Amino acid sequence: MQSLHELIAFLESLPEPHILFDRHYRILAANTAYRLAFSPNGEVVGRRCYEVSHRFDRPCDQAGESCPLALSLRSGARERVLHLHHTPKGEEYVNIELTPLPDAHGKLHVFVEKVAALPSARPRSDEAAMLVGRSPAFQRMLARVARAAPAQASVLLLGESGTGKELVARAIHEGSPRASRPLVVVDCSSLPESLFESEVFGHEKGAFTGATHTKIGLVEAAHGGTLFLDEVGDIPMTMQVKLLRLLESGTYRRVGSTELRRTDVRVVSATHRDLEAMMRQGRFREDLYYRLSTFPIHLPPLRERREDIPLLAEALLRRVWPQRRLTLHPQALQRLMVHPFPGNVRELRNVLEHAALWCDGDEILPEHVEEALAAGRRAAPASTAAALAIEPDGPQEPPDEAPLPTARRERERETLRRALQAHHGSRAALAARLGISERTLYRKLKAHGLLDDGPGSPDRQPDRA
């Protein structure tokens, strides 16, 4: 191992934040980049790393995070984890890479830690092109993004519409060595088959009627950078083989040319479709699927990260109405928290924009949110009741409420209680929003002792057909 003096000199030459510390978390050295990032007005040498970066009074693994030092002491190898660090600019997500430096006897006493910020993600943000969240589901997704970004592997983003796949693709690009080169988006769903090849691969002058000049394709425009294929499940079968050739050899031909061209692109693709089912039906090539999905990343729907709704709502209001200081009334926020959001973050933004138009002051009220939700309401999906932790109707409703396990019963009661607080309409409207029948809603309110809090007359049972 190098001498401590040599290590300190080496760390100082690195542009990224680095520290040298011992197995007791005590910082032995920190380069200028680290001091500027985490403690511009104070000394860090001699302090514990978790005190500086997290403001914790105990190690990360004792405070709910994954500690790279603890992992390295167990494995004896380099470890990488995603952390949420405190900086003078506020909280930010960082990718931690810890390298153990064994002594002459193989013992681990000293470690080097590199801190790399994820520029496109924050726990909260008012910037437009930013991933926002701090829920466990969001952090699991972000950890995979941090793993994928610096690599060259093809990434497949999977998730429902409106979950932010283009933002994730941008985060992968900006966290890669290709960040200084272009990110080119191909909207596969909007390109008809007749134009797909020309748009993606380009064409020569005279290649077809109307081709009055040579045109470079999106593949060529992305040279050195990242090609993002959005809704890759919509690529025509005839084009899939040409895309496969590009992925396997980096070569392609313009329409109307025999010249084999070469490009250097990293491919990130996305889809809300079930590609495995499409393969079984013969509508998507199996070989192309495996080339695209070297590293799949699942984007959680909003109903799986409900605790992020307040952060997202705050950020979205700043983005869509930057000239107004809009806030959400607590009951308006609670109403958003129980909505299933089948359209995910895109639907949340739509609701907030609509509600803001009804708001004459600085605070969006529950009735503004109700108006926005009613205007965009569509039939509740079959999974709505399940997403809200409410047992849906069965094929035949039993005369009495069937007993539920205690934990599920408590979740159901809490969900109903929150829905009642946020609802100002009839019991029928509430039942429709929850995806259950009015009779089932009455039974559940009665079983949970919530009838006095419910909409409509508490003593009137719903009409029976």
Side-chain angles (χ1 to χ4, degrees):
M1 187 179 73
Q2 294 173 297
S3 69
L4 182 59
H5 179 76
E6 291 174 323
L7 280 172
I8 294 174
F10 174 70
L11 294 183
E12 193 59 49
S13 69
L14 299 174
E16 305 91 353
H18 281 76
I19 56 172
L20 181 73
F21 63 105
D22 63 21
R23 62 189 300 135
H24 302 294
Y25 308 95
R26 188 172 57 250
I27 298 175
L28 305 175
N31 67 359
T32 300
Y34 185 91
R35 291 194 299 272
L36 290 175
F38 298 105
S39 187
N41 300 316
E43 186 53 71
V44 298
V45 174
R47 298 171 64 188
R48 300 295 196 274
C49 60
Y50 52 79
E51 296 173 358
V52 176
S53 60
H54 291 76
R55 300 176 188 172
F56 289 165
D57 59 1
R58 57 193 185 279
C60 305
D61 56 343
Q62 298 175 27
E65 284 201 358
S66 178
C67 176
L69 177 58
L71 294 173
S72 186
L73 286 172
R74 287 197 295 268
S75 69
R78 183 176 64 176
E79 295 288 348
R80 290 171 58 189
V81 298
L82 178 76
H83 270 190
L84 184 58
H85 274 191
H86 290 271
T87 76
K89 299 178 182 179
E91 291 181 316
E92 66 177 17
Y93 285 110
V94 297
N95 199 28
I96 301 292
E97 184 175 317
L98 183 140
T99 304
L101 302 177
D103 62 18
H105 305 288
K107 301 293 185 181
L108 301 181
H109 298 291
V110 181
F111 306 81
V112 171
E113 183 176 273
K114 173 186 174 182
V115 183
L118 297 179
S120 295
R122 291 285 189 279
R124 59 177 68 233
S125 175
D126 57 357
E127 298 179 39
M130 187 72 69
L131 293 166
V132 175
R134 62 187 312 152
S135 65
F138 176 83
Q139 293 197 35
R140 284 193 297 271
M141 181 271 292
L142 199 59
R144 294 186 67 82
V145 170
R147 284 276 178 173
Q152 295 296 322
S154 299
V155 176
L156 177 61
L157 306 178
L158 302 167
E160 299 174 9
S161 293
T163 49
K165 290 188 281 292
E166 186 169 342
L167 284 179
V168 174
R170 187 170 299 279
I172 291 171
H173 172 71
E174 292 181 356
S176 76
R178 299 172 176 267
S180 62
R181 303 295 295 169
L183 168 69
V184 176
V185 179
V186 182
D187 186 359
C188 301
S189 61
S190 68
L191 290 177
E193 185 171 355
S194 59
L195 293 178
F196 191 95
E197 186 175 10
S198 173
E199 288 293 317
V200 175
F201 299 109
H203 63 250
E204 297 291 347
K205 179 179 179 180
F208 49 84
T209 302
T212 57
H213 60 278
T214 297
K215 176 184 177 180
I216 69 167
L218 297 176
V219 165
E220 194 169 345
H223 180 74
T226 303
L227 186 71
F228 175 46
L229 302 173
D230 196 11
E231 294 304 342
V232 71
D234 293 337
I235 294 180
M237 283 292 290
T238 54
M239 293 296 104
Q240 290 180 22
V241 66
K242 297 187 177 183
L243 179 59
L244 178 64
R245 182 190 302 121
L246 175 71
L247 288 169
E248 291 187 332
S249 65
T251 61
Y252 67 99
R253 288 185 176 90
R254 290 178 181 169
V255 177
S257 173
T258 59
E259 179 186 356
L260 195 63
R261 294 178 172 270
R262 186 172 296 275
T263 190
D264 172 28
V265 294
R266 195 256 186 103
V267 174
V268 176
S269 53
T271 185
H272 72 282
R273 299 185 183 277
D274 185 344
L275 294 186
E276 293 189 14
M278 292 178 67
M279 285 192 295
R280 291 192 295 270
Q281 297 162 4
R283 297 191 293 125
F284 200 86
R285 293 181 62 99
E286 185 175 2
D287 45 9
L288 177 58
Y289 172 79
Y290 289 117
R291 291 294 305 187
L292 292 172
S293 63
T294 302
F295 197 85
I297 298 178
H298 172 72
L299 277 63
L302 193 52
R303 62 182 174 274
E304 292 180 8
R305 45 180 296 218
R306 290 183 182 276
E307 54 266 63
D308 287 337
I309 289 177
L311 300 175
L312 287 164
E314 178 187 357
L316 289 169
L317 284 174
R318 289 178 181 174
R319 295 175 196 174
V320 300
W321 293 100
Q323 69 276 24
R324 301 173 67 184
R325 295 181 176 272
L326 290 173
T327 60
L328 279 163
H329 186 280
Q331 289 187 5
L333 178 59
Q334 190 59 52
R335 178 64 181 87
L336 294 175
M337 293 289 286
V338 300
H339 184 68
F341 283 108
N344 295 297
V345 180
R346 187 179 292 124
E347 181 184 358
L348 174 61
R349 175 171 179 150
N350 176 278
V351 168
L352 290 171
E353 286 192 85
H354 191 131
L357 288 172
W358 285 101
C359 176
D360 294 323
D362 295 329
E363 186 177 50
I364 295 176
L365 301 176
E367 53 264 34
H368 302 148
V369 171
E370 285 291 349
E371 172 65 32
L373 289 171
R377 185 163 293 147
R378 54 184 175 178
S383 61
T384 297
L388 292 175
I390 296 177
E391 290 294 305
D393 296 331
Q396 294 182 335
E397 298 184 53
D400 299 309
E401 183 71 14
L404 294 173
T406 302
R408 190 186 304 173
R409 180 181 174 83
E410 288 302 315
R411 289 198 302 272
E412 182 175 273
R413 187 184 191 282
E414 179 62 16
T415 300
L416 283 169
R417 186 187 66 78
R418 291 182 178 181
L420 289 170
Q421 286 181 343
H423 187 72
H424 302 285
S426 67
R427 185 179 295 156
L430 178 60
R433 181 168 63 80
L434 295 176
I436 57 179
S437 70
E438 188 179 355
R439 240 189 310 178
T440 296
L441 175 62
Y442 176 85
R443 282 204 320 275
K444 291 184 181 296
L445 293 175
K446 182 178 180 181
H448 290 298
L450 297 172
L451 270 181
D452 291 342
D453 302 325
S457 171
D459 298 321
R460 178 181 177 275
Q461 292 196 31
D463 298 333
R464 297 182 182 272

